[in-house]
Amino acid sequence: MKKEVITQKQGIFLIIIYSIGTSIVIVTGVSAKIDLWVSIIIATIIIIPMGLIYAKLNSILPEKDLCDILEFSWGKVLGKIMISLYLLYIINTSFFVLRDIAEFFRLTVGSETPMIVPAMTLMFVSAFAVKNGIEVLARFVSFIFIPVVLFIILDNTLLLPNVDIENFKPFMYYGWKPVIKGVFNTIAFPIGEIVAFTAIFHTLKDKKVAKGTYIKGILATGIILLISSLISVLVIGPEVADIYYFPAYIATTRISIGNYLQSVEVILAFLFTIGCFVKFSILFLCASNLLTKLLAFDDYRFIVLPTGLLILSVARILFKSTSEFYYFTATIWPYYAIPFQIVFPIITLVLAETKLRKKKNQN
Amino acid sequence: MEAIFIVILHATVVIFDMIPLIKSGKKKEVILYASIIMISLVLGFLYALGIDIPSPVPYFEKLVMLIK
């Protein structure tokens, strides 16, 4: 089988599109009300050292992926349990991406369309990308990165005339509690989800650049999230942003330049679809890879379509309504996600370092 | 209607993706493939028929609330 390789630039682009993809229409850390900018900054600062830990995990055993690292650090039995837990976490995250795109199309574009239609379309396109491997996906992301960033800049620039600076006040009116909640929410979704790249970045051409790839990706994601979330909230106000499921989309509907530039939200829907595709493909790739490695198969490609169909079936039965889904992601999800994003990687790195030192001393 | 769609969807995947795998003679792979696709078909079909499939989410919420 041909060895897949991605460059540092492609790695950074993948991280950025993956992280901002689904959060482009969902304002991040909105539970902190107008202080969400503080939450996003703190969450980014917390995740930067985690990026260094993820990079170290990728470089500690060169050419080895997340499964090998987990088995090496935790031992054979515990390693398998950890792989199963990570598989569950990644599959759960992919449920949310499918559900997000299905809910988005139901609530904004075609309310009569059954949920399965957009979710199934995304799943099949992603399955095609995953079967072709990470290299093809990375090349696609390099190709669409500049248009996506230009569209984000255009969208935010056009929103500037609608910004109401009064919405910026009062600072810290609700105290630190909502800000801390916002930090947890921002880490759990989307910045901390970068942990999935530990299962991919063994394909980086030069392992020494893993650190820079993570840090640059996290910083760029933090800046884009900060600017787009803040502008959206300043346009519609923090209270209104808290009510809607897709506040950034609602903010964009307010853009109206004369009578000739309207319905710019279509651009946002396009960006969201591209982002969902990239994010779901990466999660899908990780899930297929982890599942086949867990069951000791060599190649993941044969399992891609059945896994996709299973994700599609389960994503529909998990939540009975849209409000239940958004309540879960805002309130319960951080408690489940943060151990996988922060606690387990730290323990894995400590265990791996200890084992490597022991081996060195024995030699 | 949706139930028929689910069956057609799974049948299409089996015809175009699983049959070449069976022909390649990889037994273990075929067993894993068939198991996953069967679970997916049963879940999707029951959901389409309107049968209430218990979701693990409420139990998970209770567990998190205990920790909280």
Side-chain angles (χ1 to χ4, degrees), chain A residues 116 120 124 131 295 302-303 306 309 313 316-318 320 327 335-336, chain B residues 2 5-6 9 17 29 32-33 36 40 47 52 55 57 60 65 68:
Chain A
I116 193 167
M120 183 195 70
F124 275 113
K131 277 202 169 208
L295 300 171
F302 78 95
I303 207 69
L309 284 176
S313 297
R316 294 195 306 151
I317 61 168
L318 274 185
K320 288 191 170 57
Y327 168 77
Y335 291 91
Y336 174 63
Chain B
E2 202 181 318
F5 178 71
I6 293 287
L9 182 72
D17 201 45
E29 278 87 346
L32 179 65
Y33 196 110
I36 296 176
S40 161
Y47 180 83
D52 194 23
S55 160
V57 169
F60 189 74
M65 287 301 177
K68 243 171 138 183

PDB file of all heavy atoms in Angstrom, chain A residues 116 120 124 131 295 302-303 306 309 313 316-318 320 327 335-336, chain B residues 2 5-6 9 17 29 32-33 36 40 47 52 55 57 60 65 68:
ATOM      1  N   ILE A 116     -32.574  12.585   6.669  1.00  0.00           N
ATOM      2  CA  ILE A 116     -31.630  11.608   6.092  1.00  0.00           C
ATOM      3  C   ILE A 116     -30.991  12.121   4.792  1.00  0.00           C
ATOM      4  O   ILE A 116     -29.868  11.748   4.465  1.00  0.00           O
ATOM      5  CB  ILE A 116     -32.316  10.238   5.877  1.00  0.00           C
ATOM      6  CG1 ILE A 116     -31.243   9.175   5.597  1.00  0.00           C
ATOM      7  CG2 ILE A 116     -33.368  10.277   4.792  1.00  0.00           C
ATOM      8  CD1 ILE A 116     -31.714   7.763   5.669  1.00  0.00           C
ATOM      9  N   MET A 120     -27.160  11.843   4.442  1.00  0.00           N
ATOM     10  CA  MET A 120     -26.721  10.758   3.566  1.00  0.00           C
ATOM     11  C   MET A 120     -25.807  11.282   2.454  1.00  0.00           C
ATOM     12  O   MET A 120     -24.780  10.683   2.151  1.00  0.00           O
ATOM     13  CB  MET A 120     -27.954  10.097   2.953  1.00  0.00           C
ATOM     14  CG  MET A 120     -27.653   8.923   2.079  1.00  0.00           C
ATOM     15  SD  MET A 120     -29.072   8.511   1.096  1.00  0.00           S
ATOM     16  CE  MET A 120     -29.146   9.872  -0.039  1.00  0.00           C
ATOM     17  N   PHE A 124     -21.940  10.014   1.888  1.00  0.00           N
ATOM     18  CA  PHE A 124     -21.424   9.371   0.671  1.00  0.00           C
ATOM     19  C   PHE A 124     -20.250  10.145   0.072  1.00  0.00           C
ATOM     20  O   PHE A 124     -19.258   9.558  -0.334  1.00  0.00           O
ATOM     21  CB  PHE A 124     -22.533   9.181  -0.366  1.00  0.00           C
ATOM     22  CG  PHE A 124     -23.308   7.911  -0.149  1.00  0.00           C
ATOM     23  CD1 PHE A 124     -24.634   7.945   0.225  1.00  0.00           C
ATOM     24  CD2 PHE A 124     -22.695   6.674  -0.283  1.00  0.00           C
ATOM     25  CE1 PHE A 124     -25.347   6.770   0.451  1.00  0.00           C
ATOM     26  CE2 PHE A 124     -23.397   5.496  -0.057  1.00  0.00           C
ATOM     27  CZ  PHE A 124     -24.730   5.540   0.314  1.00  0.00           C
ATOM     28  N   LYS A 131     -12.059   7.035   1.238  1.00  0.00           N
ATOM     29  CA  LYS A 131     -11.523   5.881   0.501  1.00  0.00           C
ATOM     30  C   LYS A 131     -10.289   6.277  -0.312  1.00  0.00           C
ATOM     31  O   LYS A 131      -9.417   5.471  -0.563  1.00  0.00           O
ATOM     32  CB  LYS A 131     -12.597   5.305  -0.430  1.00  0.00           C
ATOM     33  CG  LYS A 131     -13.540   4.368   0.298  1.00  0.00           C
ATOM     34  CD  LYS A 131     -14.212   3.432  -0.679  1.00  0.00           C
ATOM     35  CE  LYS A 131     -14.938   2.331   0.080  1.00  0.00           C
ATOM     36  NZ  LYS A 131     -15.050   1.111  -0.680  1.00  0.00           N
ATOM     37  N   LEU A 295      -9.433  -4.130  15.582  1.00  0.00           N
ATOM     38  CA  LEU A 295      -9.751  -5.516  15.253  1.00  0.00           C
ATOM     39  C   LEU A 295      -8.638  -6.177  14.429  1.00  0.00           C
ATOM     40  O   LEU A 295      -8.850  -7.237  13.814  1.00  0.00           O
ATOM     41  CB  LEU A 295     -11.083  -5.577  14.494  1.00  0.00           C
ATOM     42  CG  LEU A 295     -12.283  -5.012  15.271  1.00  0.00           C
ATOM     43  CD1 LEU A 295     -13.496  -4.895  14.384  1.00  0.00           C
ATOM     44  CD2 LEU A 295     -12.607  -5.861  16.490  1.00  0.00           C
ATOM     45  N   PHE A 302     -11.922  -0.878   3.308  1.00  0.00           N
ATOM     46  CA  PHE A 302     -13.087  -1.751   3.068  1.00  0.00           C
ATOM     47  C   PHE A 302     -14.234  -1.469   4.037  1.00  0.00           C
ATOM     48  O   PHE A 302     -15.386  -1.750   3.738  1.00  0.00           O
ATOM     49  CB  PHE A 302     -12.656  -3.238   3.165  1.00  0.00           C
ATOM     50  CG  PHE A 302     -12.484  -3.742   4.571  1.00  0.00           C
ATOM     51  CD1 PHE A 302     -13.525  -4.400   5.217  1.00  0.00           C
ATOM     52  CD2 PHE A 302     -11.289  -3.550   5.256  1.00  0.00           C
ATOM     53  CE1 PHE A 302     -13.378  -4.869   6.508  1.00  0.00           C
ATOM     54  CE2 PHE A 302     -11.139  -4.003   6.551  1.00  0.00           C
ATOM     55  CZ  PHE A 302     -12.189  -4.657   7.181  1.00  0.00           C
ATOM     56  N   ILE A 303     -13.924  -0.855   5.197  1.00  0.00           N
ATOM     57  CA  ILE A 303     -14.935  -0.679   6.230  1.00  0.00           C
ATOM     58  C   ILE A 303     -15.613   0.701   6.172  1.00  0.00           C
ATOM     59  O   ILE A 303     -16.548   0.978   6.922  1.00  0.00           O
ATOM     60  CB  ILE A 303     -14.281  -0.949   7.622  1.00  0.00           C
ATOM     61  CG1 ILE A 303     -15.319  -1.436   8.635  1.00  0.00           C
ATOM     62  CG2 ILE A 303     -13.548   0.238   8.177  1.00  0.00           C
ATOM     63  CD1 ILE A 303     -15.838  -2.781   8.350  1.00  0.00           C
ATOM     64  N   PRO A 306     -19.774   0.765   5.285  1.00  0.00           N
ATOM     65  CA  PRO A 306     -20.653   0.293   6.377  1.00  0.00           C
ATOM     66  C   PRO A 306     -20.564   1.154   7.631  1.00  0.00           C
ATOM     67  O   PRO A 306     -21.593   1.412   8.265  1.00  0.00           O
ATOM     68  CB  PRO A 306     -20.170  -1.133   6.654  1.00  0.00           C
ATOM     69  CG  PRO A 306     -18.945  -1.326   5.893  1.00  0.00           C
ATOM     70  CD  PRO A 306     -18.872  -0.306   4.833  1.00  0.00           C
ATOM     71  N   LEU A 309     -22.721   4.154   7.032  1.00  0.00           N
ATOM     72  CA  LEU A 309     -24.154   3.843   7.145  1.00  0.00           C
ATOM     73  C   LEU A 309     -24.576   3.689   8.600  1.00  0.00           C
ATOM     74  O   LEU A 309     -25.657   4.133   8.997  1.00  0.00           O
ATOM     75  CB  LEU A 309     -24.478   2.558   6.370  1.00  0.00           C
ATOM     76  CG  LEU A 309     -24.554   2.676   4.845  1.00  0.00           C
ATOM     77  CD1 LEU A 309     -24.773   1.313   4.219  1.00  0.00           C
ATOM     78  CD2 LEU A 309     -25.668   3.622   4.415  1.00  0.00           C
ATOM     79  N   SER A 313     -27.322   5.878  10.616  1.00  0.00           N
ATOM     80  CA  SER A 313     -28.495   5.316  11.310  1.00  0.00           C
ATOM     81  C   SER A 313     -28.546   5.767  12.765  1.00  0.00           C
ATOM     82  O   SER A 313     -29.601   6.142  13.269  1.00  0.00           O
ATOM     83  CB  SER A 313     -28.457   3.782  11.261  1.00  0.00           C
ATOM     84  OG  SER A 313     -28.528   3.352   9.950  1.00  0.00           O
ATOM     85  N   ARG A 316     -29.468   9.494  13.745  1.00  0.00           N
ATOM     86  CA  ARG A 316     -30.882   9.875  13.701  1.00  0.00           C
ATOM     87  C   ARG A 316     -31.637   9.465  14.963  1.00  0.00           C
ATOM     88  O   ARG A 316     -32.605  10.098  15.347  1.00  0.00           O
ATOM     89  CB  ARG A 316     -31.560   9.259  12.474  1.00  0.00           C
ATOM     90  CG  ARG A 316     -31.002   9.852  11.192  1.00  0.00           C
ATOM     91  CD  ARG A 316     -31.863   9.542  10.008  1.00  0.00           C
ATOM     92  NE  ARG A 316     -32.117   8.121   9.858  1.00  0.00           N
ATOM     93  CZ  ARG A 316     -33.213   7.632   9.294  1.00  0.00           C
ATOM     94  NH1 ARG A 316     -34.139   8.448   8.855  1.00  0.00           N
ATOM     95  NH2 ARG A 316     -33.375   6.341   9.158  1.00  0.00           N
ATOM     96  N   ILE A 317     -31.174   8.355  15.601  1.00  0.00           N
ATOM     97  CA  ILE A 317     -31.948   7.896  16.761  1.00  0.00           C
ATOM     98  C   ILE A 317     -31.471   8.492  18.087  1.00  0.00           C
ATOM     99  O   ILE A 317     -32.158   8.375  19.095  1.00  0.00           O
ATOM    100  CB  ILE A 317     -31.969   6.350  16.870  1.00  0.00           C
ATOM    101  CG1 ILE A 317     -30.555   5.787  17.048  1.00  0.00           C
ATOM    102  CG2 ILE A 317     -32.685   5.726  15.707  1.00  0.00           C
ATOM    103  CD1 ILE A 317     -30.544   4.325  17.436  1.00  0.00           C
ATOM    104  N   LEU A 318     -30.294   9.137  18.067  1.00  0.00           N
ATOM    105  CA  LEU A 318     -29.732   9.629  19.336  1.00  0.00           C
ATOM    106  C   LEU A 318     -30.622  10.679  20.008  1.00  0.00           C
ATOM    107  O   LEU A 318     -30.846  10.626  21.205  1.00  0.00           O
ATOM    108  CB  LEU A 318     -28.343  10.214  19.101  1.00  0.00           C
ATOM    109  CG  LEU A 318     -27.172   9.238  19.131  1.00  0.00           C
ATOM    110  CD1 LEU A 318     -25.871   9.998  18.992  1.00  0.00           C
ATOM    111  CD2 LEU A 318     -27.136   8.395  20.388  1.00  0.00           C
ATOM    112  N   LYS A 320     -34.222  13.065  20.027  1.00  0.00           N
ATOM    113  CA  LYS A 320     -35.602  13.091  19.516  1.00  0.00           C
ATOM    114  C   LYS A 320     -35.981  14.446  18.922  1.00  0.00           C
ATOM    115  O   LYS A 320     -36.880  14.545  18.113  1.00  0.00           O
ATOM    116  CB  LYS A 320     -36.573  12.703  20.618  1.00  0.00           C
ATOM    117  CG  LYS A 320     -36.456  11.218  20.919  1.00  0.00           C
ATOM    118  CD  LYS A 320     -37.528  10.684  21.788  1.00  0.00           C
ATOM    119  CE  LYS A 320     -37.484   9.173  21.851  1.00  0.00           C
ATOM    120  NZ  LYS A 320     -36.215   8.610  22.320  1.00  0.00           N
ATOM    121  N   TYR A 327     -29.251  21.105  23.674  1.00  0.00           N
ATOM    122  CA  TYR A 327     -29.082  21.083  25.132  1.00  0.00           C
ATOM    123  C   TYR A 327     -27.915  20.155  25.484  1.00  0.00           C
ATOM    124  O   TYR A 327     -27.055  20.489  26.299  1.00  0.00           O
ATOM    125  CB  TYR A 327     -30.376  20.603  25.817  1.00  0.00           C
ATOM    126  CG  TYR A 327     -30.187  20.285  27.274  1.00  0.00           C
ATOM    127  CD1 TYR A 327     -30.093  21.311  28.214  1.00  0.00           C
ATOM    128  CD2 TYR A 327     -30.069  18.958  27.714  1.00  0.00           C
ATOM    129  CE1 TYR A 327     -29.881  21.019  29.554  1.00  0.00           C
ATOM    130  CE2 TYR A 327     -29.857  18.668  29.052  1.00  0.00           C
ATOM    131  CZ  TYR A 327     -29.763  19.699  29.966  1.00  0.00           C
ATOM    132  OH  TYR A 327     -29.540  19.412  31.274  1.00  0.00           O
ATOM    133  N   TYR A 335     -18.344  17.660  29.447  1.00  0.00           N
ATOM    134  CA  TYR A 335     -17.910  16.713  30.477  1.00  0.00           C
ATOM    135  C   TYR A 335     -17.403  15.418  29.867  1.00  0.00           C
ATOM    136  O   TYR A 335     -16.572  14.728  30.431  1.00  0.00           O
ATOM    137  CB  TYR A 335     -19.078  16.386  31.430  1.00  0.00           C
ATOM    138  CG  TYR A 335     -19.454  17.556  32.294  1.00  0.00           C
ATOM    139  CD1 TYR A 335     -20.435  18.453  31.881  1.00  0.00           C
ATOM    140  CD2 TYR A 335     -18.811  17.783  33.498  1.00  0.00           C
ATOM    141  CE1 TYR A 335     -20.779  19.543  32.651  1.00  0.00           C
ATOM    142  CE2 TYR A 335     -19.140  18.872  34.279  1.00  0.00           C
ATOM    143  CZ  TYR A 335     -20.127  19.750  33.852  1.00  0.00           C
ATOM    144  OH  TYR A 335     -20.443  20.830  34.605  1.00  0.00           O
ATOM    145  N   TYR A 336     -17.950  15.084  28.716  1.00  0.00           N
ATOM    146  CA  TYR A 336     -17.542  13.859  28.030  1.00  0.00           C
ATOM    147  C   TYR A 336     -16.296  14.099  27.174  1.00  0.00           C
ATOM    148  O   TYR A 336     -15.390  13.266  27.140  1.00  0.00           O
ATOM    149  CB  TYR A 336     -18.719  13.397  27.157  1.00  0.00           C
ATOM    150  CG  TYR A 336     -18.432  12.215  26.275  1.00  0.00           C
ATOM    151  CD1 TYR A 336     -18.110  10.972  26.809  1.00  0.00           C
ATOM    152  CD2 TYR A 336     -18.499  12.332  24.887  1.00  0.00           C
ATOM    153  CE1 TYR A 336     -17.865   9.885  25.993  1.00  0.00           C
ATOM    154  CE2 TYR A 336     -18.259  11.249  24.063  1.00  0.00           C
ATOM    155  CZ  TYR A 336     -17.943  10.033  24.624  1.00  0.00           C
ATOM    156  OH  TYR A 336     -17.690   8.961  23.808  1.00  0.00           O
TER     157      TYR A 336
ATOM    158  N   GLU B   2     -39.912   5.738   3.703  1.00  0.00           N
ATOM    159  CA  GLU B   2     -38.519   5.896   4.152  1.00  0.00           C
ATOM    160  C   GLU B   2     -37.875   4.533   4.408  1.00  0.00           C
ATOM    161  O   GLU B   2     -36.687   4.344   4.151  1.00  0.00           O
ATOM    162  CB  GLU B   2     -38.479   6.774   5.415  1.00  0.00           C
ATOM    163  CG  GLU B   2     -37.110   7.408   5.613  1.00  0.00           C
ATOM    164  CD  GLU B   2     -37.030   8.257   6.861  1.00  0.00           C
ATOM    165  OE1 GLU B   2     -37.983   8.994   7.134  1.00  0.00           O
ATOM    166  OE2 GLU B   2     -35.999   8.168   7.551  1.00  0.00           O
ATOM    167  N   PHE B   5     -36.681   3.154   1.247  1.00  0.00           N
ATOM    168  CA  PHE B   5     -35.478   3.904   0.863  1.00  0.00           C
ATOM    169  C   PHE B   5     -34.248   3.365   1.614  1.00  0.00           C
ATOM    170  O   PHE B   5     -33.173   3.194   1.028  1.00  0.00           O
ATOM    171  CB  PHE B   5     -35.703   5.394   1.171  1.00  0.00           C
ATOM    172  CG  PHE B   5     -34.521   6.251   0.870  1.00  0.00           C
ATOM    173  CD1 PHE B   5     -34.147   6.505  -0.441  1.00  0.00           C
ATOM    174  CD2 PHE B   5     -33.768   6.804   1.895  1.00  0.00           C
ATOM    175  CE1 PHE B   5     -33.044   7.298  -0.719  1.00  0.00           C
ATOM    176  CE2 PHE B   5     -32.666   7.591   1.623  1.00  0.00           C
ATOM    177  CZ  PHE B   5     -32.312   7.840   0.313  1.00  0.00           C
ATOM    178  N   ILE B   6     -34.438   3.092   2.903  1.00  0.00           N
ATOM    179  CA  ILE B   6     -33.329   2.578   3.727  1.00  0.00           C
ATOM    180  C   ILE B   6     -32.852   1.224   3.189  1.00  0.00           C
ATOM    181  O   ILE B   6     -31.648   0.979   3.049  1.00  0.00           O
ATOM    182  CB  ILE B   6     -33.777   2.444   5.214  1.00  0.00           C
ATOM    183  CG1 ILE B   6     -34.047   3.821   5.835  1.00  0.00           C
ATOM    184  CG2 ILE B   6     -32.773   1.648   6.052  1.00  0.00           C
ATOM    185  CD1 ILE B   6     -32.821   4.645   6.134  1.00  0.00           C
ATOM    186  N   LEU B   9     -31.020   1.725  -0.069  1.00  0.00           N
ATOM    187  CA  LEU B   9     -29.706   2.331   0.218  1.00  0.00           C
ATOM    188  C   LEU B   9     -28.695   1.258   0.638  1.00  0.00           C
ATOM    189  O   LEU B   9     -27.581   1.187   0.101  1.00  0.00           O
ATOM    190  CB  LEU B   9     -29.894   3.363   1.342  1.00  0.00           C
ATOM    191  CG  LEU B   9     -28.687   4.162   1.777  1.00  0.00           C
ATOM    192  CD1 LEU B   9     -28.333   5.163   0.692  1.00  0.00           C
ATOM    193  CD2 LEU B   9     -28.975   4.918   3.064  1.00  0.00           C
ATOM    194  N   ASP B  17     -20.298  -2.489  -3.134  1.00  0.00           N
ATOM    195  CA  ASP B  17     -19.114  -2.446  -2.275  1.00  0.00           C
ATOM    196  C   ASP B  17     -18.818  -3.792  -1.616  1.00  0.00           C
ATOM    197  O   ASP B  17     -17.666  -4.171  -1.459  1.00  0.00           O
ATOM    198  CB  ASP B  17     -19.323  -1.359  -1.206  1.00  0.00           C
ATOM    199  CG  ASP B  17     -18.012  -0.893  -0.605  1.00  0.00           C
ATOM    200  OD1 ASP B  17     -17.069  -0.667  -1.386  1.00  0.00           O
ATOM    201  OD2 ASP B  17     -17.929  -0.771   0.625  1.00  0.00           O
ATOM    202  N   GLU B  29     -12.868  -9.919   6.763  1.00  0.00           N
ATOM    203  CA  GLU B  29     -13.348  -8.602   6.354  1.00  0.00           C
ATOM    204  C   GLU B  29     -14.846  -8.646   6.031  1.00  0.00           C
ATOM    205  O   GLU B  29     -15.604  -7.768   6.413  1.00  0.00           O
ATOM    206  CB  GLU B  29     -12.573  -8.082   5.136  1.00  0.00           C
ATOM    207  CG  GLU B  29     -11.236  -7.434   5.452  1.00  0.00           C
ATOM    208  CD  GLU B  29     -10.099  -8.438   5.524  1.00  0.00           C
ATOM    209  OE1 GLU B  29     -10.383  -9.652   5.591  1.00  0.00           O
ATOM    210  OE2 GLU B  29      -8.935  -8.013   5.528  1.00  0.00           O
ATOM    211  N   LEU B  32     -16.967  -8.831   9.261  1.00  0.00           N
ATOM    212  CA  LEU B  32     -17.065  -7.516   9.922  1.00  0.00           C
ATOM    213  C   LEU B  32     -17.997  -6.585   9.134  1.00  0.00           C
ATOM    214  O   LEU B  32     -18.867  -5.916   9.709  1.00  0.00           O
ATOM    215  CB  LEU B  32     -15.668  -6.887  10.049  1.00  0.00           C
ATOM    216  CG  LEU B  32     -15.598  -5.512  10.682  1.00  0.00           C
ATOM    217  CD1 LEU B  32     -16.023  -5.570  12.143  1.00  0.00           C
ATOM    218  CD2 LEU B  32     -14.196  -4.924  10.595  1.00  0.00           C
ATOM    219  N   TYR B  33     -17.802  -6.590   7.814  1.00  0.00           N
ATOM    220  CA  TYR B  33     -18.616  -5.742   6.932  1.00  0.00           C
ATOM    221  C   TYR B  33     -20.100  -6.081   7.095  1.00  0.00           C
ATOM    222  O   TYR B  33     -20.943  -5.200   7.315  1.00  0.00           O
ATOM    223  CB  TYR B  33     -18.176  -5.987   5.477  1.00  0.00           C
ATOM    224  CG  TYR B  33     -18.618  -4.957   4.485  1.00  0.00           C
ATOM    225  CD1 TYR B  33     -17.707  -4.096   3.895  1.00  0.00           C
ATOM    226  CD2 TYR B  33     -19.956  -4.857   4.121  1.00  0.00           C
ATOM    227  CE1 TYR B  33     -18.109  -3.148   2.974  1.00  0.00           C
ATOM    228  CE2 TYR B  33     -20.372  -3.910   3.201  1.00  0.00           C
ATOM    229  CZ  TYR B  33     -19.448  -3.062   2.628  1.00  0.00           C
ATOM    230  OH  TYR B  33     -19.855  -2.129   1.723  1.00  0.00           O
ATOM    231  N   ILE B  36     -21.633  -5.029  10.549  1.00  0.00           N
ATOM    232  CA  ILE B  36     -21.903  -3.595  10.685  1.00  0.00           C
ATOM    233  C   ILE B  36     -23.105  -3.195   9.835  1.00  0.00           C
ATOM    234  O   ILE B  36     -23.988  -2.470  10.283  1.00  0.00           O
ATOM    235  CB  ILE B  36     -20.657  -2.750  10.319  1.00  0.00           C
ATOM    236  CG1 ILE B  36     -19.524  -3.034  11.297  1.00  0.00           C
ATOM    237  CG2 ILE B  36     -20.978  -1.262  10.344  1.00  0.00           C
ATOM    238  CD1 ILE B  36     -18.236  -2.349  10.993  1.00  0.00           C
ATOM    239  N   SER B  40     -26.702  -1.548  11.053  1.00  0.00           N
ATOM    240  CA  SER B  40     -27.140  -0.281  10.473  1.00  0.00           C
ATOM    241  C   SER B  40     -28.516  -0.420   9.824  1.00  0.00           C
ATOM    242  O   SER B  40     -29.395   0.428  10.010  1.00  0.00           O
ATOM    243  CB  SER B  40     -26.096   0.176   9.452  1.00  0.00           C
ATOM    244  OG  SER B  40     -26.629   1.113   8.593  1.00  0.00           O
ATOM    245  N   TYR B  47     -36.254   2.638  12.788  1.00  0.00           N
ATOM    246  CA  TYR B  47     -36.488   4.081  12.972  1.00  0.00           C
ATOM    247  C   TYR B  47     -37.464   4.589  11.905  1.00  0.00           C
ATOM    248  O   TYR B  47     -38.386   5.360  12.194  1.00  0.00           O
ATOM    249  CB  TYR B  47     -35.165   4.844  12.895  1.00  0.00           C
ATOM    250  CG  TYR B  47     -35.315   6.337  13.066  1.00  0.00           C
ATOM    251  CD1 TYR B  47     -35.394   6.907  14.329  1.00  0.00           C
ATOM    252  CD2 TYR B  47     -35.413   7.182  11.952  1.00  0.00           C
ATOM    253  CE1 TYR B  47     -35.549   8.262  14.494  1.00  0.00           C
ATOM    254  CE2 TYR B  47     -35.571   8.537  12.104  1.00  0.00           C
ATOM    255  CZ  TYR B  47     -35.631   9.081  13.367  1.00  0.00           C
ATOM    256  OH  TYR B  47     -35.788  10.435  13.525  1.00  0.00           O
ATOM    257  N   ASP B  52     -39.941   3.168  18.415  1.00  0.00           N
ATOM    258  CA  ASP B  52     -39.127   3.959  19.337  1.00  0.00           C
ATOM    259  C   ASP B  52     -37.912   3.156  19.798  1.00  0.00           C
ATOM    260  O   ASP B  52     -38.032   2.230  20.597  1.00  0.00           O
ATOM    261  CB  ASP B  52     -40.000   4.374  20.527  1.00  0.00           C
ATOM    262  CG  ASP B  52     -39.330   5.463  21.352  1.00  0.00           C
ATOM    263  OD1 ASP B  52     -38.474   6.163  20.784  1.00  0.00           O
ATOM    264  OD2 ASP B  52     -39.655   5.586  22.543  1.00  0.00           O
ATOM    265  N   SER B  55     -32.638   5.558  23.137  1.00  0.00           N
ATOM    266  CA  SER B  55     -31.376   6.253  22.891  1.00  0.00           C
ATOM    267  C   SER B  55     -30.521   6.214  24.159  1.00  0.00           C
ATOM    268  O   SER B  55     -31.047   6.332  25.263  1.00  0.00           O
ATOM    269  CB  SER B  55     -31.682   7.701  22.502  1.00  0.00           C
ATOM    270  OG  SER B  55     -30.560   8.500  22.703  1.00  0.00           O
ATOM    271  N   VAL B  57     -28.607   8.458  25.152  1.00  0.00           N
ATOM    272  CA  VAL B  57     -28.335   9.823  25.617  1.00  0.00           C
ATOM    273  C   VAL B  57     -28.906  10.137  27.016  1.00  0.00           C
ATOM    274  O   VAL B  57     -28.180  10.654  27.861  1.00  0.00           O
ATOM    275  CB  VAL B  57     -28.800  10.858  24.555  1.00  0.00           C
ATOM    276  CG1 VAL B  57     -28.781  12.266  25.090  1.00  0.00           C
ATOM    277  CG2 VAL B  57     -27.921  10.758  23.325  1.00  0.00           C
ATOM    278  N   PHE B  60     -26.797   8.628  29.672  1.00  0.00           N
ATOM    279  CA  PHE B  60     -25.514   9.317  29.703  1.00  0.00           C
ATOM    280  C   PHE B  60     -25.646  10.653  30.440  1.00  0.00           C
ATOM    281  O   PHE B  60     -24.776  11.019  31.237  1.00  0.00           O
ATOM    282  CB  PHE B  60     -25.049   9.532  28.260  1.00  0.00           C
ATOM    283  CG  PHE B  60     -23.651  10.029  28.171  1.00  0.00           C
ATOM    284  CD1 PHE B  60     -22.592   9.182  28.413  1.00  0.00           C
ATOM    285  CD2 PHE B  60     -23.390  11.358  27.891  1.00  0.00           C
ATOM    286  CE1 PHE B  60     -21.301   9.652  28.369  1.00  0.00           C
ATOM    287  CE2 PHE B  60     -22.104  11.827  27.832  1.00  0.00           C
ATOM    288  CZ  PHE B  60     -21.051  10.972  28.071  1.00  0.00           C
ATOM    289  N   MET B  65     -24.748  14.063  35.207  1.00  0.00           N
ATOM    290  CA  MET B  65     -25.367  14.853  36.285  1.00  0.00           C
ATOM    291  C   MET B  65     -24.884  14.365  37.651  1.00  0.00           C
ATOM    292  O   MET B  65     -24.723  15.140  38.581  1.00  0.00           O
ATOM    293  CB  MET B  65     -26.896  14.769  36.207  1.00  0.00           C
ATOM    294  CG  MET B  65     -27.465  15.556  35.061  1.00  0.00           C
ATOM    295  SD  MET B  65     -27.045  17.297  35.167  1.00  0.00           S
ATOM    296  CE  MET B  65     -27.760  17.932  33.696  1.00  0.00           C
ATOM    297  N   LYS B  68     -21.505  15.840  38.045  1.00  0.00           N
ATOM    298  CA  LYS B  68     -21.653  17.278  38.239  1.00  0.00           C
ATOM    299  C   LYS B  68     -21.978  17.611  39.690  1.00  0.00           C
ATOM    300  O   LYS B  68     -21.563  18.543  40.277  1.00  0.00           O
ATOM    301  CB  LYS B  68     -22.797  17.789  37.356  1.00  0.00           C
ATOM    302  CG  LYS B  68     -22.360  18.781  36.309  1.00  0.00           C
ATOM    303  CD  LYS B  68     -23.520  19.029  35.380  1.00  0.00           C
ATOM    304  CE  LYS B  68     -23.636  20.508  35.057  1.00  0.00           C
ATOM    305  NZ  LYS B  68     -24.788  20.800  34.206  1.00  0.00           N
TER     306      LYS B  68
END
